[in-house]
Amino acid sequence: MRKTHLRTTHLSLILGLLLLAVTGCSSGADSSPTEKIDAGPVALRRLTAEQFSRSIRDVLGDHITVPSRIDPDDRRDGLLAVGATFASVTPSGFEKYEAAANVVTEQALDTKHRADLVQCQPASATTSDEECATAFIGRVGRRLFRRSLTGEELDARVAIASAAAKALGDFYGGLEIALASLLVSPDFLFRIEEAEPDRRDPSITRLTSVAMASRLSYLLWNTTPDDDLIAAGEHGDLVDDALLAEQVERLLSSPKLETGIRSIFSDLYDFKRFDDGLVRKDTALFPVYTQTLVEEAKEQTLRTIVAHLSADKDYRDLFTTTESFLTRRLGVAYRVPVPTPDGWEPYVFSDEARRAGLLSHISFNALYSHPGRSSATLRGKFVREVLLCQDIPTPPANVDFSIVEDITGELRTARERLEAHVTNDACAGCHTLTDPIGLALESFDAIGMLREEENGVPIDTSGDLDGTAYEDATGMGRALRDHPALGPCLVRSLYRYAAGRNEIGGELALLSSLSERFAESAYSVRELMRELVLSDGFRTTSGPRMAEEAGDES
Amino acid sequence: MGLPLLDCFLNSNGTALAQGAPLPVRFGAWMWGCGMNPDRWNPTTEGGGYELSVELQALDRELGTGAKLREQVSILSDFDVKLDGRPNFPHTAGLMGTLTGSLPVADYTVPAPTLDTIIAAEIGGLTRFRSLEMSCTGNPNQSYSFESQGVANAPEISPMAMYARVFGPEFADPNAGPFTPDPRLMIRQSVLSVVKDDRDRLLQRVGTHDKQRLEQYFTSVRQLEQQLDILLEGPPDLESCSKAPTPGQETLGTEVGESMSTNLLMADLLSFALACDQTRVFSMMFSDRISGLRQPGSSSQHHQLTHDEPLDPEIGYQPEATEFVFASMEAWADFVERLAATPEGDGTLLDNCLVLGHSDVSLAKVHGITGVPMMIAGSAGGALKPGVHVRGATSPTTRVGLTIQQAMGLNTESWGTRSMEATQPVSEIVA
């Protein structure tokens, strides 16, 4: 029922858009995509575990070890960034946040670091000092809440700091309490994106300048805004076209952009599963496998992406590039010599290594495999869904698997087993989409090591990607690189990541226009980010999300 | 020795604390993935003293009390999840139907609160922890305990972490000498009261979707306040309560031996936590609904085997996949046996528990959701008759959920939606 309602809404938005197009309202086709669009709703965004940790360390000090045992992130529609606009805080989750806050405040204000952090000297270290406490809480609170504290918020925290300082006979003990109250507050744990009527055109609802500061910072740096950005937000600069553009240039040229890029691709590729220890392999079948190996494999891929995109190279070439980074441990798994004994070195794979493009990395092949065997289907599904944004339906519940039962033991390779699917109509619909891609990657086993044969039979990696034939994984990477859906799919994913939700009908024209511009910029991801954050899709909204939408996204 | 509960504090049956306070009754769910082979799992005889089927042989154990484990476990076969034309999302429809009484409209979505959270909403406020969730899968992100789609209770996956949470420095040990409240607890309460002060201002600033999420957040804050209140009250006054010993060596993972060992360590900690009334609601995910259990050195996992392994024409089932059914039933028996090993009142802790053991499907090969296997261990403080086999005759699985809610003292008259709506409890197991 709800679904029908939503569809109707989409339809009317699309109709509205068509009307606009007919009446020629898209006036500013000059510098940035300024088509009038109907952007979707905003919702509270719970900090992801990574944002929680980064924000704390940014504000309170890099020496802090932030507990990783907090409420797990919610992944929806393939992104933690989308799940974050649905996640709440369970009782056990809050218990963990409070425990984490206590651990963090103790480290932040330990005797070694308190002077640097507090920046004022209390009259006495054994009792309260309201002036110093007020200065500290006000300054740190502003970074954590991403806005200045209200008088009430500040007073309440100075009061508990004073009471605790007196009770404990410790000024810094009092500050710990006030700091803990900031860290467990919903104003820290959730990013609140407030909107207001645009003064130039009150029919448009825009994000407030203060809300824009957080939105920009978490998208581009994946952490809390710095003092400059908060000041710009509070000064109203971020709802001014020119001043916004200035800040965006600053954010895009900061070294912190690398963190932002890393986080985007980690989320998109579901790399958190490496951190959660969920990429496990059978150690008897894969003696090379260790948790450290797969974590380094993840790091290798992220380093490759960051280096490539920071140099403003063509996004599509990520799927053909032989440039990467290796450690000696990874070198063993790749069977190539790595001279550097400890740490990372830049590495260019030779043709003989047969490692061109991200999809030839250990990370993907290990992630999209089972503990004991590779999976052409999982790998193919990943490429279709995540890289090309094509939907693969879930298998029917009553599917007859007896067709792929290998009673005689004659089906020895993945291709032979999977080709059995394709002879069955119920299976063929999906497996003809996923399997040819995955079979090209069958030369990589369940931990991504090269192999020539499976169960004594040579592996055939040839296939076809939507009309482009290839012989092996390298050829498949080239076909993927040239696939027309590759660029627009990244645009869609990045938009969802930025907005914290799936696109709605009123935003489709914007996505098309962003995709065109992405192509015109020779697929510069930095350019795409700039276009995106300056667009009305990022700056405006229909208002707060209504409760009916919750839980009805599929 | 700290505070022995003198016999005069108990009534003549030794089943209740004096002044009318009965021993607490606890509810838990224990889930294993990928079902069983119906013809080999369902007992052939009904009622008390049912004949153990081949896949239920794990229940043929003698307890420390001399009783048989099977006498403590009721088997509920032939209860169905009804689709009403909705899709049978593999491994999701059966799980959600059984645990929530409703069918999902999209894959892996949560249509309604799960049984454990329904019960925790009633009795979770009486204890330090509203509920405890555990998992033997090593996955910190997934349990089958949901208040709603966005409110999922994350599990403890490590027995050491579970120990630290329940029996760490905060735990008031009844055997540790005179109790002095920790002043830090009161200071922590002041932190929470500052946070709560922001509630009204915040709720005014957000839309209806976020209002619900913030209300949930503030409910969680209140829960922690209550936790601190209970800690300030001092050690639990229960005869069977003592601090759990530090758990043994843990190895997390989905090799079947690893999961079974985690299950045992968790059951041990849980029995101490329950005896000390730290919680009255728990859930355990022994294996994922898409069971990742595997044998070391094997290229296949349990779930894959249920689909890929040929039926052995001689025996009529999948031998390798079925090994995991046996292992799951052994793990279930381990879990229940551990609860029965803690004496309480004039019986055991298990007598005052109601543990629902269940899976997501019957025959995993075809994602069967008719005859979803369910078991109930314990007699819920006398509310239930244990050790009975009941055939549901294709009535909905929700009848079991309804029976559970009533046995736990909830005023639930009916439960479930559409064809899953149940109004008739399973009277055969009601005492």
Side-chain angles (χ1 to χ4, degrees), chain A residues 98 102 105-106 168 170 173-174 176-177, chain B residues 181-190 228 232:
Chain A
E98 199 246 6
N102 294 332
T105 55
E106 216 170 278
L168 300 166
D170 177 7
E176 282 184 29
I177 298 302
Chain B
D182 180 352
R184 288 222 151 235
L185 293 175
M186 280 174 279
I187 292 176
R188 282 167 66 195
Q189 282 184 320
S190 72
L228 298 175
L232 282 165

mmCIF file with all atom_site columns, all heavy atoms in Angstrom, chain A residues 98 102 105-106 168 170 173-174 176-177, chain B residues 181-190 228 232:
data_model
loop_
_atom_site.group_PDB
_atom_site.id
_atom_site.type_symbol
_atom_site.label_atom_id
_atom_site.label_alt_id
_atom_site.label_comp_id
_atom_site.label_asym_id
_atom_site.label_entity_id
_atom_site.label_seq_id
_atom_site.pdbx_PDB_ins_code
_atom_site.Cartn_x
_atom_site.Cartn_y
_atom_site.Cartn_z
_atom_site.occupancy
_atom_site.B_iso_or_equiv
_atom_site.pdbx_formal_charge
_atom_site.auth_seq_id
_atom_site.auth_comp_id
_atom_site.auth_asym_id
_atom_site.auth_atom_id
_atom_site.pdbx_PDB_model_num
ATOM 1   N N   . GLU A 1 98  ? 28.114 4.822  25.963 1.00 0.00 ? 98  GLU A N   1
ATOM 2   C CA  . GLU A 1 98  ? 28.483 5.426  27.244 1.00 0.00 ? 98  GLU A CA  1
ATOM 3   C C   . GLU A 1 98  ? 29.816 4.868  27.733 1.00 0.00 ? 98  GLU A C   1
ATOM 4   O O   . GLU A 1 98  ? 30.662 5.604  28.222 1.00 0.00 ? 98  GLU A O   1
ATOM 5   C CB  . GLU A 1 98  ? 27.377 5.182  28.281 1.00 0.00 ? 98  GLU A CB  1
ATOM 6   C CG  . GLU A 1 98  ? 27.452 6.117  29.463 1.00 0.00 ? 98  GLU A CG  1
ATOM 7   C CD  . GLU A 1 98  ? 27.769 5.444  30.779 1.00 0.00 ? 98  GLU A CD  1
ATOM 8   O OE1 . GLU A 1 98  ? 28.055 4.219  30.792 1.00 0.00 ? 98  GLU A OE1 1
ATOM 9   O OE2 . GLU A 1 98  ? 27.749 6.117  31.812 1.00 0.00 ? 98  GLU A OE2 1
ATOM 10  N N   . ASN A 1 102 ? 33.373 7.009  28.315 1.00 0.00 ? 102 ASN A N   1
ATOM 11  C CA  . ASN A 1 102 ? 34.193 7.020  29.523 1.00 0.00 ? 102 ASN A CA  1
ATOM 12  C C   . ASN A 1 102 ? 35.647 6.656  29.238 1.00 0.00 ? 102 ASN A C   1
ATOM 13  O O   . ASN A 1 102 ? 36.572 7.215  29.814 1.00 0.00 ? 102 ASN A O   1
ATOM 14  C CB  . ASN A 1 102 ? 33.591 6.084  30.576 1.00 0.00 ? 102 ASN A CB  1
ATOM 15  C CG  . ASN A 1 102 ? 32.234 6.582  31.065 1.00 0.00 ? 102 ASN A CG  1
ATOM 16  O OD1 . ASN A 1 102 ? 31.973 7.790  31.043 1.00 0.00 ? 102 ASN A OD1 1
ATOM 17  N ND2 . ASN A 1 102 ? 31.367 5.670  31.463 1.00 0.00 ? 102 ASN A ND2 1
ATOM 18  N N   . THR A 1 105 ? 37.190 9.832  27.333 1.00 0.00 ? 105 THR A N   1
ATOM 19  C CA  . THR A 1 105 ? 37.449 11.042 28.121 1.00 0.00 ? 105 THR A CA  1
ATOM 20  C C   . THR A 1 105 ? 38.670 10.844 29.030 1.00 0.00 ? 105 THR A C   1
ATOM 21  O O   . THR A 1 105 ? 39.448 11.767 29.229 1.00 0.00 ? 105 THR A O   1
ATOM 22  C CB  . THR A 1 105 ? 36.232 11.418 28.993 1.00 0.00 ? 105 THR A CB  1
ATOM 23  O OG1 . THR A 1 105 ? 35.875 10.296 29.791 1.00 0.00 ? 105 THR A OG1 1
ATOM 24  C CG2 . THR A 1 105 ? 35.057 11.806 28.133 1.00 0.00 ? 105 THR A CG2 1
ATOM 25  N N   . GLU A 1 106 ? 38.813 9.638  29.528 1.00 0.00 ? 106 GLU A N   1
ATOM 26  C CA  . GLU A 1 106 ? 39.974 9.357  30.373 1.00 0.00 ? 106 GLU A CA  1
ATOM 27  C C   . GLU A 1 106 ? 41.290 9.561  29.600 1.00 0.00 ? 106 GLU A C   1
ATOM 28  O O   . GLU A 1 106 ? 42.233 10.149 30.109 1.00 0.00 ? 106 GLU A O   1
ATOM 29  C CB  . GLU A 1 106 ? 39.880 7.907  30.846 1.00 0.00 ? 106 GLU A CB  1
ATOM 30  C CG  . GLU A 1 106 ? 40.367 7.678  32.257 1.00 0.00 ? 106 GLU A CG  1
ATOM 31  C CD  . GLU A 1 106 ? 39.996 6.266  32.698 1.00 0.00 ? 106 GLU A CD  1
ATOM 32  O OE1 . GLU A 1 106 ? 38.830 6.054  33.126 1.00 0.00 ? 106 GLU A OE1 1
ATOM 33  O OE2 . GLU A 1 106 ? 40.863 5.390  32.569 1.00 0.00 ? 106 GLU A OE2 1
ATOM 34  N N   . LEU A 1 168 ? 34.816 14.889 43.331 1.00 0.00 ? 168 LEU A N   1
ATOM 35  C CA  . LEU A 1 168 ? 35.995 14.040 43.118 1.00 0.00 ? 168 LEU A CA  1
ATOM 36  C C   . LEU A 1 168 ? 37.281 14.707 43.585 1.00 0.00 ? 168 LEU A C   1
ATOM 37  O O   . LEU A 1 168 ? 38.333 14.079 43.638 1.00 0.00 ? 168 LEU A O   1
ATOM 38  C CB  . LEU A 1 168 ? 36.135 13.695 41.628 1.00 0.00 ? 168 LEU A CB  1
ATOM 39  C CG  . LEU A 1 168 ? 34.975 12.930 40.973 1.00 0.00 ? 168 LEU A CG  1
ATOM 40  C CD1 . LEU A 1 168 ? 35.092 12.974 39.447 1.00 0.00 ? 168 LEU A CD1 1
ATOM 41  C CD2 . LEU A 1 168 ? 34.929 11.482 41.460 1.00 0.00 ? 168 LEU A CD2 1
ATOM 42  N N   . ASP A 1 170 ? 38.825 16.970 41.846 1.00 0.00 ? 170 ASP A N   1
ATOM 43  C CA  . ASP A 1 170 ? 39.666 16.901 40.645 1.00 0.00 ? 170 ASP A CA  1
ATOM 44  C C   . ASP A 1 170 ? 38.999 17.705 39.523 1.00 0.00 ? 170 ASP A C   1
ATOM 45  O O   . ASP A 1 170 ? 37.959 17.315 38.997 1.00 0.00 ? 170 ASP A O   1
ATOM 46  C CB  . ASP A 1 170 ? 39.823 15.425 40.253 1.00 0.00 ? 170 ASP A CB  1
ATOM 47  C CG  . ASP A 1 170 ? 40.632 15.248 38.965 1.00 0.00 ? 170 ASP A CG  1
ATOM 48  O OD1 . ASP A 1 170 ? 41.173 16.253 38.447 1.00 0.00 ? 170 ASP A OD1 1
ATOM 49  O OD2 . ASP A 1 170 ? 40.709 14.096 38.491 1.00 0.00 ? 170 ASP A OD2 1
ATOM 50  N N   . GLY A 1 173 ? 38.749 15.667 36.420 1.00 0.00 ? 173 GLY A N   1
ATOM 51  C CA  . GLY A 1 173 ? 37.699 14.655 36.577 1.00 0.00 ? 173 GLY A CA  1
ATOM 52  C C   . GLY A 1 173 ? 36.344 15.263 36.238 1.00 0.00 ? 173 GLY A C   1
ATOM 53  O O   . GLY A 1 173 ? 35.487 14.623 35.601 1.00 0.00 ? 173 GLY A O   1
ATOM 54  N N   . GLY A 1 174 ? 36.141 16.518 36.640 1.00 0.00 ? 174 GLY A N   1
ATOM 55  C CA  . GLY A 1 174 ? 34.900 17.219 36.313 1.00 0.00 ? 174 GLY A CA  1
ATOM 56  C C   . GLY A 1 174 ? 34.751 17.415 34.811 1.00 0.00 ? 174 GLY A C   1
ATOM 57  O O   . GLY A 1 174 ? 33.678 17.205 34.240 1.00 0.00 ? 174 GLY A O   1
ATOM 58  N N   . GLU A 1 176 ? 36.027 15.582 32.524 1.00 0.00 ? 176 GLU A N   1
ATOM 59  C CA  . GLU A 1 176 ? 35.731 14.273 31.909 1.00 0.00 ? 176 GLU A CA  1
ATOM 60  C C   . GLU A 1 176 ? 34.234 14.024 31.862 1.00 0.00 ? 176 GLU A C   1
ATOM 61  O O   . GLU A 1 176 ? 33.703 13.519 30.871 1.00 0.00 ? 176 GLU A O   1
ATOM 62  C CB  . GLU A 1 176 ? 36.399 13.130 32.704 1.00 0.00 ? 176 GLU A CB  1
ATOM 63  C CG  . GLU A 1 176 ? 37.876 12.975 32.429 1.00 0.00 ? 176 GLU A CG  1
ATOM 64  C CD  . GLU A 1 176 ? 38.475 11.769 33.158 1.00 0.00 ? 176 GLU A CD  1
ATOM 65  O OE1 . GLU A 1 176 ? 37.734 10.786 33.403 1.00 0.00 ? 176 GLU A OE1 1
ATOM 66  O OE2 . GLU A 1 176 ? 39.666 11.823 33.484 1.00 0.00 ? 176 GLU A OE2 1
ATOM 67  N N   . ILE A 1 177 ? 33.556 14.395 32.949 1.00 0.00 ? 177 ILE A N   1
ATOM 68  C CA  . ILE A 1 177 ? 32.115 14.165 33.023 1.00 0.00 ? 177 ILE A CA  1
ATOM 69  C C   . ILE A 1 177 ? 31.382 15.020 31.991 1.00 0.00 ? 177 ILE A C   1
ATOM 70  O O   . ILE A 1 177 ? 30.496 14.542 31.271 1.00 0.00 ? 177 ILE A O   1
ATOM 71  C CB  . ILE A 1 177 ? 31.613 14.495 34.453 1.00 0.00 ? 177 ILE A CB  1
ATOM 72  C CG1 . ILE A 1 177 ? 32.280 13.565 35.473 1.00 0.00 ? 177 ILE A CG1 1
ATOM 73  C CG2 . ILE A 1 177 ? 30.109 14.431 34.547 1.00 0.00 ? 177 ILE A CG2 1
ATOM 74  C CD1 . ILE A 1 177 ? 32.038 12.105 35.218 1.00 0.00 ? 177 ILE A CD1 1
ATOM 75  N N   . PRO B 2 181 ? 28.282 1.476  47.597 1.00 0.00 ? 181 PRO B N   1
ATOM 76  C CA  . PRO B 2 181 ? 27.987 1.977  46.252 1.00 0.00 ? 181 PRO B CA  1
ATOM 77  C C   . PRO B 2 181 ? 29.124 2.832  45.716 1.00 0.00 ? 181 PRO B C   1
ATOM 78  O O   . PRO B 2 181 ? 29.740 3.596  46.470 1.00 0.00 ? 181 PRO B O   1
ATOM 79  C CB  . PRO B 2 181 ? 26.709 2.803  46.445 1.00 0.00 ? 181 PRO B CB  1
ATOM 80  C CG  . PRO B 2 181 ? 26.389 2.820  47.889 1.00 0.00 ? 181 PRO B CG  1
ATOM 81  C CD  . PRO B 2 181 ? 27.382 1.983  48.628 1.00 0.00 ? 181 PRO B CD  1
ATOM 82  N N   . ASP B 2 182 ? 29.421 2.705  44.449 1.00 0.00 ? 182 ASP B N   1
ATOM 83  C CA  . ASP B 2 182 ? 30.498 3.454  43.797 1.00 0.00 ? 182 ASP B CA  1
ATOM 84  C C   . ASP B 2 182 ? 29.984 4.855  43.464 1.00 0.00 ? 182 ASP B C   1
ATOM 85  O O   . ASP B 2 182 ? 29.022 5.000  42.709 1.00 0.00 ? 182 ASP B O   1
ATOM 86  C CB  . ASP B 2 182 ? 30.892 2.690  42.511 1.00 0.00 ? 182 ASP B CB  1
ATOM 87  C CG  . ASP B 2 182 ? 32.015 3.377  41.756 1.00 0.00 ? 182 ASP B CG  1
ATOM 88  O OD1 . ASP B 2 182 ? 32.386 4.521  42.133 1.00 0.00 ? 182 ASP B OD1 1
ATOM 89  O OD2 . ASP B 2 182 ? 32.508 2.780  40.790 1.00 0.00 ? 182 ASP B OD2 1
ATOM 90  N N   . PRO B 2 183 ? 30.611 5.901  44.032 1.00 0.00 ? 183 PRO B N   1
ATOM 91  C CA  . PRO B 2 183 ? 30.121 7.266  43.759 1.00 0.00 ? 183 PRO B CA  1
ATOM 92  C C   . PRO B 2 183 ? 30.148 7.611  42.269 1.00 0.00 ? 183 PRO B C   1
ATOM 93  O O   . PRO B 2 183 ? 29.395 8.459  41.812 1.00 0.00 ? 183 PRO B O   1
ATOM 94  C CB  . PRO B 2 183 ? 31.082 8.156  44.550 1.00 0.00 ? 183 PRO B CB  1
ATOM 95  C CG  . PRO B 2 183 ? 32.248 7.309  44.911 1.00 0.00 ? 183 PRO B CG  1
ATOM 96  C CD  . PRO B 2 183 ? 31.786 5.886  44.914 1.00 0.00 ? 183 PRO B CD  1
ATOM 97  N N   . ARG B 2 184 ? 31.018 6.958  41.514 1.00 0.00 ? 184 ARG B N   1
ATOM 98  C CA  . ARG B 2 184 ? 31.080 7.215  40.072 1.00 0.00 ? 184 ARG B CA  1
ATOM 99  C C   . ARG B 2 184 ? 29.756 6.894  39.371 1.00 0.00 ? 184 ARG B C   1
ATOM 100 O O   . ARG B 2 184 ? 29.427 7.495  38.341 1.00 0.00 ? 184 ARG B O   1
ATOM 101 C CB  . ARG B 2 184 ? 32.196 6.378  39.419 1.00 0.00 ? 184 ARG B CB  1
ATOM 102 C CG  . ARG B 2 184 ? 33.571 6.869  39.771 1.00 0.00 ? 184 ARG B CG  1
ATOM 103 C CD  . ARG B 2 184 ? 34.488 6.864  38.535 1.00 0.00 ? 184 ARG B CD  1
ATOM 104 N NE  . ARG B 2 184 ? 35.493 7.887  38.669 1.00 0.00 ? 184 ARG B NE  1
ATOM 105 C CZ  . ARG B 2 184 ? 35.716 8.848  37.763 1.00 0.00 ? 184 ARG B CZ  1
ATOM 106 N NH1 . ARG B 2 184 ? 35.004 8.892  36.656 1.00 0.00 ? 184 ARG B NH1 1
ATOM 107 N NH2 . ARG B 2 184 ? 36.654 9.751  37.947 1.00 0.00 ? 184 ARG B NH2 1
ATOM 108 N N   . LEU B 2 185 ? 29.030 5.923  39.941 1.00 0.00 ? 185 LEU B N   1
ATOM 109 C CA  . LEU B 2 185 ? 27.747 5.576  39.331 1.00 0.00 ? 185 LEU B CA  1
ATOM 110 C C   . LEU B 2 185 ? 26.798 6.765  39.369 1.00 0.00 ? 185 LEU B C   1
ATOM 111 O O   . LEU B 2 185 ? 26.065 7.039  38.427 1.00 0.00 ? 185 LEU B O   1
ATOM 112 C CB  . LEU B 2 185 ? 27.117 4.372  40.041 1.00 0.00 ? 185 LEU B CB  1
ATOM 113 C CG  . LEU B 2 185 ? 27.839 3.026  39.899 1.00 0.00 ? 185 LEU B CG  1
ATOM 114 C CD1 . LEU B 2 185 ? 27.148 1.969  40.758 1.00 0.00 ? 185 LEU B CD1 1
ATOM 115 C CD2 . LEU B 2 185 ? 27.878 2.580  38.453 1.00 0.00 ? 185 LEU B CD2 1
ATOM 116 N N   . MET B 2 186 ? 26.826 7.502  40.487 1.00 0.00 ? 186 MET B N   1
ATOM 117 C CA  . MET B 2 186 ? 25.933 8.654  40.613 1.00 0.00 ? 186 MET B CA  1
ATOM 118 C C   . MET B 2 186 ? 26.361 9.778  39.678 1.00 0.00 ? 186 MET B C   1
ATOM 119 O O   . MET B 2 186 ? 25.526 10.471 39.094 1.00 0.00 ? 186 MET B O   1
ATOM 120 C CB  . MET B 2 186 ? 25.893 9.118  42.065 1.00 0.00 ? 186 MET B CB  1
ATOM 121 C CG  . MET B 2 186 ? 24.963 8.235  42.893 1.00 0.00 ? 186 MET B CG  1
ATOM 122 S SD  . MET B 2 186 ? 24.997 8.605  44.644 1.00 0.00 ? 186 MET B SD  1
ATOM 123 C CE  . MET B 2 186 ? 26.456 7.744  45.181 1.00 0.00 ? 186 MET B CE  1
ATOM 124 N N   . ILE B 2 187 ? 27.663 9.912  39.507 1.00 0.00 ? 187 ILE B N   1
ATOM 125 C CA  . ILE B 2 187 ? 28.135 10.940 38.571 1.00 0.00 ? 187 ILE B CA  1
ATOM 126 C C   . ILE B 2 187 ? 27.722 10.581 37.143 1.00 0.00 ? 187 ILE B C   1
ATOM 127 O O   . ILE B 2 187 ? 27.304 11.434 36.360 1.00 0.00 ? 187 ILE B O   1
ATOM 128 C CB  . ILE B 2 187 ? 29.665 11.110 38.707 1.00 0.00 ? 187 ILE B CB  1
ATOM 129 C CG1 . ILE B 2 187 ? 29.980 11.721 40.085 1.00 0.00 ? 187 ILE B CG1 1
ATOM 130 C CG2 . ILE B 2 187 ? 30.206 11.984 37.593 1.00 0.00 ? 187 ILE B CG2 1
ATOM 131 C CD1 . ILE B 2 187 ? 31.444 11.856 40.396 1.00 0.00 ? 187 ILE B CD1 1
ATOM 132 N N   . ARG B 2 188 ? 27.803 9.288  36.818 1.00 0.00 ? 188 ARG B N   1
ATOM 133 C CA  . ARG B 2 188 ? 27.361 8.866  35.483 1.00 0.00 ? 188 ARG B CA  1
ATOM 134 C C   . ARG B 2 188 ? 25.872 9.146  35.292 1.00 0.00 ? 188 ARG B C   1
ATOM 135 O O   . ARG B 2 188 ? 25.440 9.488  34.196 1.00 0.00 ? 188 ARG B O   1
ATOM 136 C CB  . ARG B 2 188 ? 27.656 7.381  35.271 1.00 0.00 ? 188 ARG B CB  1
ATOM 137 C CG  . ARG B 2 188 ? 29.135 7.116  34.958 1.00 0.00 ? 188 ARG B CG  1
ATOM 138 C CD  . ARG B 2 188 ? 29.477 5.645  35.064 1.00 0.00 ? 188 ARG B CD  1
ATOM 139 N NE  . ARG B 2 188 ? 28.808 4.843  34.060 1.00 0.00 ? 188 ARG B NE  1
ATOM 140 C CZ  . ARG B 2 188 ? 28.721 3.499  34.128 1.00 0.00 ? 188 ARG B CZ  1
ATOM 141 N NH1 . ARG B 2 188 ? 29.248 2.845  35.158 1.00 0.00 ? 188 ARG B NH1 1
ATOM 142 N NH2 . ARG B 2 188 ? 28.122 2.831  33.182 1.00 0.00 ? 188 ARG B NH2 1
ATOM 143 N N   . GLN B 2 189 ? 25.113 9.017  36.361 1.00 0.00 ? 189 GLN B N   1
ATOM 144 C CA  . GLN B 2 189 ? 23.684 9.337  36.250 1.00 0.00 ? 189 GLN B CA  1
ATOM 145 C C   . GLN B 2 189 ? 23.468 10.814 35.911 1.00 0.00 ? 189 GLN B C   1
ATOM 146 O O   . GLN B 2 189 ? 22.570 11.155 35.154 1.00 0.00 ? 189 GLN B O   1
ATOM 147 C CB  . GLN B 2 189 ? 22.964 8.996  37.552 1.00 0.00 ? 189 GLN B CB  1
ATOM 148 C CG  . GLN B 2 189 ? 22.693 7.507  37.695 1.00 0.00 ? 189 GLN B CG  1
ATOM 149 C CD  . GLN B 2 189 ? 21.898 7.176  38.948 1.00 0.00 ? 189 GLN B CD  1
ATOM 150 O OE1 . GLN B 2 189 ? 22.140 7.767  39.998 1.00 0.00 ? 189 GLN B OE1 1
ATOM 151 N NE2 . GLN B 2 189 ? 20.980 6.241  38.840 1.00 0.00 ? 189 GLN B NE2 1
ATOM 152 N N   . SER B 2 190 ? 24.349 11.666 36.478 1.00 0.00 ? 190 SER B N   1
ATOM 153 C CA  . SER B 2 190 ? 24.169 13.097 36.206 1.00 0.00 ? 190 SER B CA  1
ATOM 154 C C   . SER B 2 190 ? 24.433 13.400 34.722 1.00 0.00 ? 190 SER B C   1
ATOM 155 O O   . SER B 2 190 ? 23.821 14.281 34.137 1.00 0.00 ? 190 SER B O   1
ATOM 156 C CB  . SER B 2 190 ? 25.064 13.939 37.117 1.00 0.00 ? 190 SER B CB  1
ATOM 157 O OG  . SER B 2 190 ? 26.419 13.828 36.731 1.00 0.00 ? 190 SER B OG  1
ATOM 158 N N   . LEU B 2 228 ? 22.004 1.731  36.131 1.00 0.00 ? 228 LEU B N   1
ATOM 159 C CA  . LEU B 2 228 ? 22.823 2.335  37.179 1.00 0.00 ? 228 LEU B CA  1
ATOM 160 C C   . LEU B 2 228 ? 22.082 2.290  38.525 1.00 0.00 ? 228 LEU B C   1
ATOM 161 O O   . LEU B 2 228 ? 22.693 2.024  39.565 1.00 0.00 ? 228 LEU B O   1
ATOM 162 C CB  . LEU B 2 228 ? 23.190 3.779  36.803 1.00 0.00 ? 228 LEU B CB  1
ATOM 163 C CG  . LEU B 2 228 ? 24.026 3.916  35.514 1.00 0.00 ? 228 LEU B CG  1
ATOM 164 C CD1 . LEU B 2 228 ? 24.227 5.389  35.156 1.00 0.00 ? 228 LEU B CD1 1
ATOM 165 C CD2 . LEU B 2 228 ? 25.380 3.230  35.658 1.00 0.00 ? 228 LEU B CD2 1
ATOM 166 N N   . LEU B 2 232 ? 23.382 0.496  41.964 1.00 0.00 ? 232 LEU B N   1
ATOM 167 C CA  . LEU B 2 232 ? 23.513 1.221  43.233 1.00 0.00 ? 232 LEU B CA  1
ATOM 168 C C   . LEU B 2 232 ? 22.807 0.505  44.375 1.00 0.00 ? 232 LEU B C   1
ATOM 169 O O   . LEU B 2 232 ? 23.094 0.743  45.537 1.00 0.00 ? 232 LEU B O   1
ATOM 170 C CB  . LEU B 2 232 ? 22.949 2.645  43.091 1.00 0.00 ? 232 LEU B CB  1
ATOM 171 C CG  . LEU B 2 232 ? 23.868 3.637  42.382 1.00 0.00 ? 232 LEU B CG  1
ATOM 172 C CD1 . LEU B 2 232 ? 23.106 4.891  41.964 1.00 0.00 ? 232 LEU B CD1 1
ATOM 173 C CD2 . LEU B 2 232 ? 25.050 4.003  43.286 1.00 0.00 ? 232 LEU B CD2 1
#
